[in-house]
Amino acid sequence: DSHIQYERVGADVTMKCGSMDWDAAVTWTANGTDIDESHLNGSYLVLKNVDLSQSGQYSCYEGSSWHLKYQTSLRVGTPPKEPVLMCRSNNYPKGFYCSWHLPTPTYIPNTFNISVIHGTKDMVCEKDATPKNRCHIRYLQLFSTVKYKVTLTVTNPLGKNFTTLTFDEFAIVKPDPPESVVAKPVPNNPRRLEVSWQNPSSWPDPESFPLKFFLRYRPLILDQWQHVELSDGTSHTITDAYAGKEYIIQVAAKDNDIGTWSDWSVAVHATPWTEEPKHLTTEAQITETTSASTSSFMAPPTTKICDKGAVVGSGAVAVCWTAGLVVAAYSVLFI
Amino acid sequence: MAAADSPSTALQRRDLCSRGIRLAGKMRADVVDLLDAYVEQQGLDASASMAVVEGVPLAAVERWDEQTGTQRLLENLAAYRAFRALLAQMLEEQREQLGEADTGLGRALAAVLLQVSAFAYHLEELLRLESRGIPGEEEEEEDGPPPPPRLSLFEQKLRGLGVLRELAQWAVRSARDLRQLAKPSPATGTAPGLAENP
């Protein structure tokens, strides 16, 4: 007859050898290894201040016959601490999901029970196949001021605990981050980067429930982000990028009217367009100016033609003429 | 009878819807500010759960996505007409409590009342566009509702809280309703649900 026995970490455990008398001669094993007699009190096995490593299969054999008289699986663990519960609607207005976990492991099996009440109405939170610690609910009503109350109870053989969340429909709306963020240089524009992205695929109806977006970008070499909030559209052109610098760019989303901002999207990197340094191969005298953090080249005084958008100057404004065209002056800030 | 929209009707509807959405957005922002001021001034607990306040149109709706355009417009219109009366009453009660003193709260209430009236009118415009009869203001009930009993000061404050909370919800719902209305129907070109139901 096999048993399972759950005990708290630190407890003193006494195991009886089935129906054997106290003074019977027995041998105890733990996971097949004989246990020293010092742990015995008669035929009882006494384990003091048990720890996790003492979990295992304990067997008791009668004296000389070695008949198995009793077997138990000892599982050392802890009662559950207050669980951590989170509810969120990333697919508004379809519904919301709740997910949970324990702040510390119990080392023994736990059962989770979730109840959702909306006003006086009980709602069913359908458990997801994966991940296991998650369930979802469809909204039966929209635009309700009545709060939802979600109670999660966790039970294991050593105890029980619970937590409750109360929230209203709008407060938990948080879309997933935008997807497929792409940043590209713009040809012949050394200070521009074209960024585009898509609505998160989990957001069911962006037409009726439009999202707004927040873009942040910075050159890799700086810590300070620049931010742009966009009330519509899924693209934006950065026009003040530092020439030649690699940028890191991220986008976040939020329902236009309610809820909170999504997490930031996966970061993308891009460097604005720079002209190919063709002049290095010509016979003209090229002065290549470099500094610790940037590289640019200065067109030689004898050069008559330079491409539109060529970057010139070292902190100074210069004008570059091409046949028939006036090229706008740039000032390039050195970092 | 389901008639396809003329291009000008479709354009007018889209235009009215866009303006309505902007109105609703501004109204919501102002109601939320008013709610904060009201809670503070009246010494109320903003997070308190409240029982349903009688006479306040609830924004909560089941099967919202299945509503027809006409239903949306009619429900919105009924709600904002009710809010117009409720806010006027709140303003009156404010004046009774504080005399004719021109208070910030009073002015904010009056401003929201104006927006609510404007929005109700906007909804009537949309209904006119659909050649829908606009329901009369006084519902022809067989027995009109009895005059509401005089509320205590505290009950007045609580009702005011309920009114503003529901109005804030309605402002969000209205923007969503108008976006649904503004969507062109794929087959006929009419807005979804504005064709007469058989």
Side-chain angles (χ1 to χ4, degrees):
Chain A
D1 224 14
S2 200
H3 304 87
I4 301 179
Q5 191 171 344
Y6 294 98
E7 300 289 345
R8 285 184 189 223
V9 170
D12 294 338
V13 180
T14 300
M15 289 185 204
K16 286 166 90 166
C17 186
S19 54
M20 300 290 282
D21 292 333
W22 176 81
D23 56 359
V26 299
T27 305
W28 282 92
T29 63
N31 298 325
T33 307
D34 286 9
I35 297 175
D36 187 74
E37 278 184 11
S38 62
H39 292 285
L40 297 185
N41 175 4
S43 64
Y44 299 171
L45 174 64
V46 179
L47 302 171
K48 287 195 178 288
N49 191 21
V50 290
D51 63 41
L52 295 170
S53 67
Q54 287 171 289
S55 295
Q57 184 90 302
Y58 288 80
S59 310
C60 176
Y61 300 90
E62 185 181 15
S64 45
S65 70
W66 278 92
H67 282 144
L68 178 65
K69 289 306 210 180
Y70 181 75
Q71 199 167 58
T72 187
S73 178
L74 176 67
R75 313 265 176 98
V76 181
T78 60
K81 291 208 160 86
E82 186 181 331
V84 176
L85 175 66
M86 181 271 284
C87 296
R88 184 180 147 214
S89 175
N90 65 340
N91 62 343
Y92 190 79
K94 277 201 176 150
F96 64 92
Y97 72 86
C98 293
S99 70
W100 54 87
H101 66 271
L102 286 172
T104 52
T106 61
Y107 304 99
I108 57 177
N110 305 296
T111 322
F112 294 92
N113 207 314
I114 192 160
S115 82
V116 182
I117 303 173
H118 184 217
T120 52
K121 204 171 180 172
D122 271 311
M123 299 179 77
V124 175
C125 197
E126 289 177 38
K127 293 243 170 116
D128 288 349
T130 49
K132 281 195 309 184
N133 58 336
R134 197 159 129 156
C135 68
H136 62 271
I137 279 204
R138 294 188 76 82
Y139 279 126
L140 297 176
Q141 267 190 350
L142 288 181
F143 314 110
S144 173
T145 47
V146 174
K147 290 189 194 282
Y148 290 83
K149 185 172 162 182
V150 181
T151 304
L152 175 74
T153 308
V154 54
T155 312
N156 75 18
L158 296 176
K160 172 173 189 165
N161 214 322
F162 76 97
T163 189
T164 302
L165 264 188
T166 307
F167 52 84
D168 63 53
E169 181 189 314
F170 291 174
I172 59 164
V173 176
K174 178 179 170 178
D176 287 329
E179 295 173 5
S180 309
V181 182
V182 172
K184 290 191 292 202
V186 179
N188 303 306
N189 276 282
R191 302 202 66 190
R192 290 185 176 220
L193 286 168
E194 232 166 45
V195 189
S196 66
W197 58 89
Q198 285 175 9
N199 289 313
S201 49
S202 51
W203 196 252
D205 188 2
E207 214 183 316
S208 306
F209 296 82
L211 294 171
K212 59 182 176 185
F213 301 97
F214 215 75
L215 192 105
R216 70 175 185 180
Y217 59 97
R218 64 175 173 84
L220 282 183
I221 51 177
L222 289 183
D223 289 329
Q224 192 115 11
W225 293 96
Q226 283 184 262
H227 295 99
V228 181
E229 186 166 332
L230 304 152
S231 57
D232 55 23
T234 52
S235 64
H236 176 71
T237 303
I238 295 165
T239 55
D240 61 351
Y242 292 120
K245 298 287 177 270
E246 186 180 351
Y247 272 76
I248 178 169
I249 297 148
Q250 289 178 293
V251 192
K254 182 184 168 302
D255 176 271
N256 220 39
D257 302 313
I258 62 176
T260 57
W261 286 99
S262 73
D263 292 340
W264 290 106
S265 69
V266 167
V268 294
H269 293 239
T271 308
W273 175 91
T274 50
E275 184 169 8
E276 290 292 314
K278 301 189 203 93
H279 299 277
L280 284 171
T281 60
T282 68
E283 288 173 16
Q285 290 160 19
I286 309 281
T287 318
E288 186 162 351
T289 10
T290 54
S291 74
S293 54
T294 190
S295 66
S296 64
F297 64 90
M298 207 168 355
T302 54
T303 308
K304 292 198 169 70
I305 296 167
C306 68
D307 292 336
K308 188 169 136 188
V311 176
V312 295
S314 319
V317 173
V319 174
C320 177
W321 289 88
T322 67
L325 285 174
V326 175
V327 176
Y330 290 96
S331 65
V332 177
L333 302 173
F334 273 78
I335 294 118
Chain B
M1 59 231 176
D5 280 338
S6 72
S8 80
T9 310
L11 267 171
Q12 273 184 281
R13 180 191 306 117
R14 228 177 40 229
D15 180 53
L16 276 171
C17 286
S18 306
R19 282 195 281 135
I21 291 165
R22 281 196 296 277
L23 266 172
K26 169 83 171 81
M27 187 164 50
R28 192 212 174 188
D30 288 354
V31 170
V32 166
D33 289 342
L34 175 56
L35 200 46
D36 289 341
Y38 188 85
V39 158
E40 197 183 316
Q41 190 138 345
Q42 308 288 35
L44 296 167
D45 177 4
S47 61
S49 288
M50 287 176 57
V52 169
V53 181
E54 204 180 311
V56 177
L58 295 181
V61 57
E62 294 188 6
R63 298 198 178 89
W64 172 86
D65 52 332
E66 295 172 19
Q67 286 200 321
T68 65
T70 308
Q71 265 176 303
R72 294 178 197 279
L73 285 173
L74 290 172
E75 283 187 23
N76 271 267
L77 183 58
Y80 286 95
R81 281 176 171 173
F83 280 119
R84 195 166 54 195
L86 287 163
L87 287 170
Q89 192 175 4
M90 278 171 72
L91 208 48
E92 188 58 42
E93 284 163 0
Q94 269 272 301
R95 288 189 186 127
E96 278 176 19
Q97 283 167 39
L98 304 164
E100 286 303 316
D102 186 26
T103 65
L105 190 62
R107 273 179 275 128
L109 258 171
V112 165
L113 174 53
L114 203 57
Q115 289 183 64
V116 163
S117 302
F119 196 73
Y121 180 74
H122 205 82
L123 292 165
E124 287 171 4
E125 286 289 296
L126 271 161
L127 275 164
R128 265 187 215 108
L129 191 66
E130 311 311 325
S131 310
R132 300 283 160 196
I134 298 169
E137 291 252 14
E138 298 301 289
E139 284 291 298
E140 53 276 9
E141 292 169 7
E142 287 73 59
D143 34 76
R150 184 93 185 146
L151 296 178
S152 71
L153 183 59
F154 183 64
E155 284 167 330
Q156 283 177 12
K157 290 181 182 184
L158 274 189
R159 193 186 55 192
L161 181 62
V163 168
L164 294 177
R165 269 191 184 161
E166 280 304 324
L167 181 55
Q169 298 293 102
W170 265 104
V172 175
R173 176 176 162 182
S174 301
R176 312 288 197 194
D177 279 323
L178 293 177
R179 279 196 197 102
Q180 288 292 96
L181 222 62
K183 272 180 175 172
S185 169
T188 63
T190 42
L194 280 169
E196 191 116 28
N197 283 324

